[in-house]
Amino acid sequence: MNDLVPYLKYSVSLTDIQSFLTVAAAGSFRKAALTIDVGQSSLSRRIRRLEDELGVSLFERHSTGARLTNAGTCFAGRMRIVLDELNTAVGAARSDGSVQKGCLNAGIIASLSRGITRTVVQRFRSEHVGVGICYFEADRSELYTKLNHRQLDFVIAAGEPIEAIYDGFILDREEIYLAVASDSELADRERLSWSEVNCETFVLGSQEPGPEIHDYILRRISDLGLSIKVERHRLGREGIMTLVGLGQGVSLVADHWRGVSYPNVTFVPVGAPDERVPFSLSWVPENDNPALRRFISVARTVAQEVANGSS
């Protein structure tokens, strides 16, 4: 490996510089040679080569040892600063590569209150305490636009991965629940069918996952030849659940949303027991953020554990 370091118009060897500093510290070519386990003649050649390149004597050589010249003293001081900076730079690069520090920008259309996304985040943070995660919520189009422009490292959302554009995999397939008022007769049911709720008013938010839930409801209802009434509100998830609790309608949620409780709201399974919605993790394959690679690894492990029923 070539260890020549360009220094202005000079090319000096890093090995020669380290040898020079060792002799300077030991005050003797013999002691320095023993310290770095090389022959004294080889060490002397390194120092002579460095002196020839610099065009100045670095040591006063005598029978009792080696003393730095004025030029040698100045050069030693500056080289120690250079090597300290080099070691800092190398250490920082290795730290980044091993994800001892760093940051992930996460786009999420999901709740972290329970479910696989929460499990993945908890495990990742426990294994990589120096990595920060910044979360971003928006509609699907905005999240994937930011993902394409590397403003986000990954997106977790309902649906299959868009394999033609992104890398990704399914984290989990979750059961769907109907959020109903706890004081309504629907709250007493163990499970509801779609035909039993088509007369209900579905209240949805204008932002994700509102449109996504709306599309899902339409697919399920149209398969049965039914029609439904939908009201859209410019509210987030908490606002929609408040309307449900007030008896103004019902709404759909995936299982992971049930980690949050709302006043007078009960979650009842709806549809067939095997009716589930996929949630996937997607990222741009060209993203070389080391923290992203570790996050993907943790997510794959958790997804496999969930699939095997061990998590």
Side-chain angles (χ1 to χ4, degrees):
M1 179 178 177
N2 190 345
D3 66 343
L4 294 182
V5 179
Y7 182 71
L8 295 178
K9 65 180 181 179
Y10 304 106
S11 290
V12 295
S13 166
L14 183 59
T15 300
D16 291 350
I17 292 175
Q18 291 172 320
S19 297
F20 159 71
L21 292 176
T22 302
V23 175
S28 164
F29 279 82
R30 180 182 61 82
K31 293 179 181 179
L34 292 174
T35 299
I36 59 178
D37 195 24
V38 298
Q40 185 173 338
S41 59
S42 176
L43 178 60
S44 294
R45 284 194 298 271
R46 293 181 184 179
I47 302 303
R48 184 62 64 188
R49 183 168 59 232
L50 181 59
E51 290 176 324
D52 289 344
E53 181 64 39
L54 298 177
V56 66
S57 294
L58 299 173
F59 291 103
E60 296 177 358
R61 295 163 174 83
H62 48 80
S63 58
T64 58
R67 179 183 299 173
L68 285 169
T69 63
N70 290 335
T73 299
C74 182
F75 185 68
R78 290 174 176 172
M79 281 300 99
R80 290 191 184 99
I81 295 174
V82 170
L83 290 183
D84 284 344
E85 290 294 327
L86 179 60
N87 286 328
T88 298
V90 171
R94 287 178 173 173
S95 177
D96 289 342
S98 60
V99 202
Q100 296 302 314
K101 61 180 181 179
C103 182
L104 280 171
N105 294 306
I108 296 182
I109 308 177
S111 170
L112 293 174
S113 61
R114 59 173 280 156
I116 191 169
T117 303
R118 180 183 178 89
T119 301
V120 171
V121 169
Q122 284 181 319
R123 184 172 302 183
F124 179 82
R125 288 182 60 82
S126 68
E127 295 178 3
H128 305 287
V129 294
V131 179
I133 303 179
C134 298
Y135 302 95
F136 191 89
E137 284 187 336
D139 61 55
R140 182 180 298 270
S141 175
E142 183 176 357
L143 288 185
Y144 282 106
T145 297
K146 289 183 177 294
L147 183 64
N148 286 329
H149 290 276
R150 309 288 184 86
Q151 295 173 342
L152 293 176
D153 290 299
F154 64 84
V155 169
I156 294 178
E160 304 276 348
I162 309 174
E163 296 181 353
I165 305 176
Y166 311 105
D167 279 353
F169 58 91
I170 293 176
L171 287 171
D172 195 13
R173 297 181 184 273
E174 295 192 357
E175 190 169 11
I176 298 299
Y177 289 78
L178 193 69
V180 303
S182 300
D183 55 6
S184 70
E185 61 179 19
L186 295 178
D188 297 327
R189 301 292 299 277
E190 292 186 4
R191 177 176 293 275
L192 293 164
S193 66
W194 289 105
S195 59
E196 291 176 304
V197 298
N198 70 298
C199 294
E200 299 294 329
T201 297
F202 284 79
V203 289
L204 306 177
S206 58
Q207 295 184 341
E208 297 282 5
E212 171 188 307
I213 293 175
H214 176 260
D215 292 342
Y216 183 83
I217 295 171
L218 289 181
R219 286 196 302 271
R220 300 305 301 134
I221 295 297
S222 62
D223 288 344
L224 300 173
L226 303 172
S227 61
I228 59 170
K229 179 181 178 182
V230 175
E231 289 184 358
R232 303 185 70 88
H233 302 270
R234 297 184 64 85
L235 296 172
R237 172 59 44 181
E238 183 175 347
I240 292 298
M241 291 297 106
T242 298
L243 295 183
V244 171
L246 291 172
Q248 291 187 220
V250 299
S251 192
L252 284 186
V253 297
D255 180 61
H256 64 264
W257 284 102
R258 297 193 302 126
V260 181
S261 61
Y262 302 94
N264 198 44
V265 175
T266 297
F267 301 107
V268 183
V270 63
D274 59 351
E275 188 174 331
R276 293 176 178 270
V277 173
F279 281 81
S280 60
L281 169 67
S282 299
W283 67 93
V284 176
E286 294 80 14
N287 190 329
D288 60 357
N289 184 347
L292 172 62
R293 298 299 144 186
R294 301 304 192 279
F295 187 88
I296 293 169
S297 177
V298 171
R300 286 190 189 278
T301 299
V302 174
Q304 188 62 49
E305 291 173 356
V306 170
N308 295 335
S310 56
S311 178

